[in-house]
Amino acid sequence: MKFHVLTLFPEIPRAFFESSIMAKAVDKGILAYDLVNIRDFAFDKHKTCDDSPYGGGAGMLMLPEPLSLALKSVFKGINESQGRKAARRVVYVTPSGKPFTQKLAQELSQVENLVFICGRYEGIDQRIIDSWVDDEISIGDYVMSSGELAATVIIDAVYRLVDGVISHESLEEESFTDGLLEYPQYTRPEVFDGHNVPEVLLSGHHENIRKWRLLKRLEKTLRMRPDLIAKARDNGSLSAEAEKMIETITSGD
């Protein structure tokens, strides 16, 4: 899988790609990345990439010409290195896009080439969106000045789902994987600051540990995100065992 990031500030995502698990995955050849500086495709000596919007209004808008040339360059590179049939998907990160979810992260993790457009200022010209963009994605109901940070959030959620990056066991019980939040976890020492690790986790009894973890996941989800319980019921992913535990939890409220 390869990430292509079109940005005015490539130094922002570069640190992410050169660190931690991502760097190891790149070294192993599981992942690759390409940071494309949109300014390299600007026409004038000042490398101008923005202008005022038609119709007036505050702020500046990214020019369509440099961005279009940058996209054409990326697609040309994909065609030459991987062939014209190589899968690619263009993502524009924007507060007005559809909400980013774990399900969408899993979907994107199956795409051979993900091309990210990092907006700045008031965004990008609508004609670029109409001609090039496959997905407009928002990471939350708030506004950021950096499209690079928003794109990095999505990339971070996606790359770890690619086969070979992280073990399947580590992913199976994470928050949102099956509609519930993750259970609490503990490590050494057994007693810290007067607080003990729950006894069941020291018992070695795998079935009791499984039940305890499910109970804790349900308790936390009911407390923090009850909407997820409703969704799990709607899609039929909540087991009879989980329903019984929920009944026990809520009866004590």
Side-chain angles (χ1 to χ4, degrees):
M1 181 180 202
K2 187 169 185 177
F3 297 100
H4 309 262
V5 183
L6 280 66
T7 169
L8 294 173
F9 301 94
E11 62 273 15
I12 296 177
R14 179 174 288 113
F16 171 75
F17 282 105
E18 295 179 353
S19 303
S20 192
I21 299 173
M22 170 61 86
K24 293 178 182 178
V26 171
D27 288 341
K28 292 178 181 178
I30 300 171
L31 302 171
Y33 68 95
D34 180 23
L35 302 179
V36 180
N37 192 334
I38 301 168
R39 294 191 190 278
D40 291 341
F41 299 88
F43 298 110
D44 64 335
K45 64 179 181 179
H46 300 294
K47 300 294 182 181
T48 304
C49 286
D50 66 302
D51 205 342
S52 55
Y54 282 117
M60 304 290 277
L61 203 64
M62 288 180 68
L63 292 167
E65 292 96 335
L67 196 46
S68 177
L69 289 173
L71 285 161
K72 288 177 181 177
S73 174
V74 168
F75 271 57
K76 180 181 179 183
I78 293 173
N79 292 341
E80 291 177 349
S81 62
Q82 303 176 39
R84 292 186 175 276
K85 293 184 178 181
R88 73 284 307 267
R89 196 155 161 178
V90 178
V91 175
Y92 171 46
V93 285
T94 168
S96 61
K98 60 185 177 183
F100 185 59
T101 63
Q102 186 68 17
K103 182 180 179 181
L104 183 52
Q106 291 169 339
E107 182 182 326
L108 293 176
S109 72
Q110 303 303 309
V111 181
E112 196 173 354
N113 293 275
L114 285 180
V115 182
F116 286 86
I117 300 175
C118 301
R120 281 273 169 170
Y121 318 120
E122 292 300 309
I124 66 176
D125 192 292
Q126 182 63 39
R127 289 166 293 187
I128 292 294
I129 298 173
D130 294 340
S131 300
W132 289 94
V133 173
D134 298 303
D135 298 277
E136 294 179 73
I137 298 177
S138 168
I139 62 169
D141 294 338
Y142 50 88
V143 178
M144 302 172 65
S145 62
S146 173
E148 290 77 16
L149 293 180
T152 302
V153 167
I154 296 174
I155 293 169
D156 187 80
V158 169
Y159 91 92
R160 58 198 308 281
L161 300 175
V162 175
D163 286 343
V165 175
I166 295 177
S167 68
H168 290 291
E169 291 78 9
S170 296
L171 299 173
E172 283 178 353
E173 293 185 333
E174 290 186 327
S175 295
F176 307 110
T177 299
D178 60 358
L180 301 176
L181 300 181
E182 192 172 13
Y183 50 79
Q185 303 211 49
Y186 302 83
T187 187
R188 292 185 179 88
E190 186 176 324
V191 180
F192 172 70
D193 202 19
H195 299 281
N196 292 63
V197 173
E199 189 174 338
V200 65
L201 299 179
L202 307 175
S203 68
H205 195 297
H206 297 299
E207 179 61 11
N208 286 348
I209 292 173
R210 182 195 67 80
K211 289 181 178 179
W212 180 87
R213 285 175 170 172
L214 175 58
L215 177 65
K216 293 303 177 182
R217 297 184 78 198
L218 291 167
E219 286 178 344
K220 185 170 185 178
T221 306
L222 283 166
R223 184 174 70 254
M224 306 294 290
R225 292 290 303 276
D227 58 300
L228 295 178
I229 297 292
K231 288 181 181 179
R233 282 174 171 154
D234 289 343
N235 62 33
S237 63
L238 212 57
S239 67
E241 179 186 30
E243 288 285 12
K244 189 173 181 179
M245 286 184 177
I246 291 173
E247 185 178 344
T248 300
I249 295 167
T250 55
S251 65
D253 290 344

